[in-house]
Amino acid sequence: MTRVLVVEDDPQLVRALVINLQARHYGVDAAPDGATALRLAAARRPDVVLLDLGLPDIDGVDVIKGLRGWSRVPILVLSARRASDEKVAALDAGADDYITKPFSMDELLARLRAAVRRTEDTAVVPETTLVETEDFSIDLLAKKVVRGGRDVRLTPTEWHLLELLVTSPGRLITQKHLLKEVWGVSQSHKTNYLRVYMAQLRRKLEKDPSRPRYLVTEPGMGYRFEA
């Protein structure tokens, strides 16, 4: 059973989420504040976290940072904050998706299913289990990246994006295809998502993120991985 941690201080919304999730056979834990969320996440090890940013004790972005210190669990932000800089701050901190309130339950459930799919193991052909460059190596079976002898911590969304690129070296992968595969059909126009996550990957993998050698942009079209 897929376990979902709902972090929300609005009792009515929590009740609606719990009812809808349990009706679809998800296991659900609920936390009314950030401190409880971090404690429950460590104890229950959820498969997905639904997180409100406006919590009574800790800002949701700080909760994301706290989780990312030890976990790659998918984090879907549910927030009334609509400013693009606040969305980018949440994504930069390690969130995997951002859903603006009010939202439809069908959309939320679709995003939740997509987040779960991104964490499932996928078959990898033997020839592409290990990708090595001069600066880092990627073990596709272990879902592990090593740079300078140290593990590089990636979120599930960062990993999925990187995996799509490195398994087709030298090939242009269009923005639309990447958005559809990583975030789902409904997000296929949100190129700002790609810009944020590609910037994060470059900061973690490239010697000079402003002049990337491996994660190359084809302006207006998409991205390619150059080994």
Side-chain angles (χ1 to χ4, degrees), residues 63-77:
V63 175
I64 296 170
K65 292 176 180 177
L67 288 170
R68 283 290 169 257
W70 59 272
S71 174
R72 291 177 54 199
V73 63
I75 301 172
L76 280 64
V77 169

Side-chain angles (χ1 to χ4, degrees), residues 9 32 42 47 59 65 78 85 87 105 110 135 159 196 217:
D9 64 340
D47 299 294
D59 188 80
K65 292 176 180 177
L78 312 177
D85 59 337
K87 293 181 180 181
M105 196 60 65
D135 298 303
W159 173 262
V196 168
T217 301

Side-chain angles (χ1 to χ4, degrees), residues 75-151:
I75 301 172
L76 280 64
V77 169
L78 312 177
S79 180
R81 300 178 187 177
R82 296 174 178 270
S84 60
D85 59 337
E86 292 184 300
K87 293 181 180 181
V88 170
L91 294 170
D92 268 339
D96 295 276
D97 206 344
Y98 195 108
I99 304 169
T100 304
K101 296 177 181 178
F103 51 83
S104 75
M105 196 60 65
D106 285 343
E107 179 186 6
L108 171 64
L109 292 168
R111 303 270 197 102
L112 181 62
R113 290 192 296 270
V116 172
R117 282 197 303 271
R118 289 197 292 269
T119 63
E120 293 173 346
D121 291 334
T122 55
V124 182
V125 295
E127 290 78 10
T128 60
T129 57
L130 185 65
V131 177
E132 294 189 276
T133 73
E134 291 181 8
D135 298 303
F136 56 87
S137 63
I138 305 168
D139 187 330
L140 292 165
L141 287 180
K143 295 185 180 295
K144 181 178 180 181
V145 180
V146 176
R147 180 185 180 193
R150 296 184 177 182
D151 289 353

Side-chain angles (χ1 to χ4, degrees), residues 121-194:
D121 291 334
T122 55
V124 182
V125 295
E127 290 78 10
T128 60
T129 57
L130 185 65
V131 177
E132 294 189 276
T133 73
E134 291 181 8
D135 298 303
F136 56 87
S137 63
I138 305 168
D139 187 330
L140 292 165
L141 287 180
K143 295 185 180 295
K144 181 178 180 181
V145 180
V146 176
R147 180 185 180 193
R150 296 184 177 182
D151 289 353
V152 178
R153 190 181 297 275
L154 300 180
T155 69
T157 298
E158 289 169 349
W159 173 262
H160 194 189
L161 185 56
L162 180 64
E163 187 177 44
L164 286 168
L165 291 166
V166 302
T167 51
S168 299
R171 176 187 165 198
L172 171 67
I173 311 295
T174 66
Q175 293 178 345
K176 184 176 181 179
H177 179 77
L178 290 170
L179 285 163
K180 180 180 176 182
E181 289 297 317
V182 179
W183 286 278
V185 175
S186 65
Q187 305 302 307
S188 60
H189 62 290
K190 294 194 173 179
T191 55
N192 60 309
Y193 278 27
L194 273 177

